Amino acid sequence: QVQLEESGGGLVQAGGSLRLSCVVSGRTFSSYSMGWFRQAPGKEREFVSVISWDGRTTRYTDSVKGRFTISRDNAKNTVYLQMNSLKPEDTAVYYCATTTDRQRFAIPLAGPRGDYFMNYWGKGTLVTVSS
């Protein structure tokens, strides 16, 4: 059973930084892309960032480019999201996700739904940015 557990959320002032972590168990972590998504109050869940199984390919939504950095440590089964220069509009529940079994060793592609074929999700961690 694939399980994902996020941590690192909290309350921060605008301009501040947070680092989110997500630990994965139940599968060979190093074989699959990992992603971060977020859902703000009253809005649909949206893509934030994705990293390939080997860490060589990363993608970001335009609104976080230059401020957020995704990384992974395959030895620790952990993916990170370093968030700098946070803005109030970054306030959301942040979800960690990983792809379907068929995406093993695949380059991350957005797919028809824009969800990068993510099939396993964590419960989320709340990030609140005050102005």
Side-chain angles (χ1 to χ4, degrees):
Q1 181 180 2
V2 181
Q3 293 184 319
L4 298 85
E5 184 171 0
E6 304 97 335
S7 62
L11 174 64
V12 64
Q13 289 188 332
S17 299
L18 283 174
R19 188 176 82 155
L20 306 183
S21 300
C22 173
V23 179
V24 180
S25 61
R27 72 166 7 176
T28 306
F29 175 82
S30 58
S31 299
Y32 300 92
S33 294
M34 295 294 304
W36 287 96
F37 292 71
R38 66 186 179 185
Q39 186 168 18
K43 296 186 177 181
E44 294 187 351
R45 188 167 58 192
E46 65 172 353
F47 165 76
V48 176
S49 183
V50 66
I51 186 168
S52 60
W53 61 276
D54 58 359
R56 293 182 178 181
T57 302
T58 58
R59 307 197 196 289
Y60 299 90
T61 191
D62 287 345
S63 63
V64 308
K65 285 180 181 177
R67 300 189 298 123
F68 290 12
T69 302
I70 191 170
S71 62
R72 65 190 297 159
D73 185 338
N74 286 346
K76 295 183 178 180
N77 287 7
T78 303
V79 62
Y80 304 97
L81 186 68
Q82 177 66 43
M83 305 186 296
N84 299 329
S85 302
L86 282 161
K87 304 176 181 180
E89 51 264 43
D90 295 319
T91 294
V93 176
Y94 283 71
Y95 297 92
C96 171
T98 188
T99 57
T100 64
D101 296 345
R102 294 183 65 181
Q103 296 298 314
R104 187 166 180 250
F105 297 131
I107 295 174
L109 297 174
R113 297 190 303 268
D115 63 358
Y116 288 83
F117 302 101
M118 298 296 169
N119 192 52
Y120 302 98
W121 299 84
K123 295 181 179 179
T125 185
L126 177 62
V127 172
T128 303
V129 184
S130 63
S131 57

